[in-house]
Amino acid sequence: TDSDPSEPPAHACLASPAPEHLRQLAAMPYKRFVELGRVCLVTYGPDKGKLCTIVDVIDHNRVLVDGPSSITGIHHQPMPIKRLMLTDLKVATTRNARQTALIRAWEEADVLTKWNGSSWAKKLADKQKRAAMSDFDRFEVMVARKTRAAAMK
């Protein structure tokens, strides 16, 4: 089977560069990775709702996290990755960093201010506020909503 050099190869799509839309699909969509210094939110267990920092990766299911405990209340402990939600925040730290180094890294990166300013933290705070409302508070909110809706008409 003599092939003509002017003909495209049998697998022309492999020989030519990919179109722009295919290259964009192939680009990695993830921005948050399980890595040293990544700030996470605990979603389950006694530390639910607290922030922590990944200080070491144990295996593909568990990581070693640290608060620092003086700021967030989480002590140096292993934790399953399934119990963590990765945030966009990251601090510059070394593997198995000590408390003092971690505290310094959190203060330099201004993690708490950035976290409290994020829409994620604001939503969590609103959710906690609603959960702590009494029956009378919910009634007042309902009345205020009705009066605001009546004023709009």
Side-chain angles (χ1 to χ4, degrees):
T1 62
D2 294 329
S3 62
D4 184 23
S6 64
E7 276 185 40
H11 298 290
C13 62
L14 297 177
S16 64
E20 180 62 29
H21 70 280
L22 290 179
R23 270 186 269 141
Q24 288 176 352
L25 287 175
M28 187 167 291
Y30 305 109
K31 307 253 186 296
R32 302 173 185 163
F33 300 104
V34 176
E35 57 186 331
L36 293 181
R38 177 65 62 184
V39 177
C40 305
L41 180 72
V42 180
T43 60
Y44 184 80
D47 294 322
K48 181 180 179 179
K50 295 179 182 178
L51 291 176
C52 64
T53 309
I54 296 176
V55 292
D56 197 5
V57 178
I58 300 172
D59 57 26
H60 68 283
N61 287 323
R62 295 180 306 146
V63 292
L64 194 61
V65 297
D66 201 341
S69 60
S70 62
I71 298 174
T72 64
I74 293 192
H75 298 284
H76 197 78
Q77 60 184 317
M79 191 166 288
I81 294 175
K82 288 182 178 183
R83 291 188 180 189
L84 300 174
M85 291 181 76
L86 305 174
T87 66
D88 289 334
L89 305 173
K90 188 170 184 267
V91 296
T93 184
T94 58
R95 191 168 171 234
N96 287 326
R98 294 182 182 266
Q99 283 281 321
T100 54
L102 208 52
I103 291 170
R104 194 175 321 112
W106 268 55
E107 289 169 353
E108 287 173 4
D110 201 21
V111 173
L112 284 180
T113 307
K114 289 178 184 175
W115 171 251
N116 291 331
S118 70
S119 59
W120 188 357
K122 290 175 184 174
K123 285 178 192 175
L124 286 175
D126 288 344
K127 192 174 182 181
Q128 288 174 347
K129 200 183 302 179
R130 276 194 306 273
M133 291 175 93
S134 67
D135 187 39
F136 185 69
D137 293 333
R138 284 190 291 277
F139 172 76
E140 285 180 323
V141 169
M142 180 198 67
V143 170
R145 190 177 297 139
K146 283 185 175 182
T147 52
R148 186 174 47 220
M152 295 293 255
K153 287 183 179 181

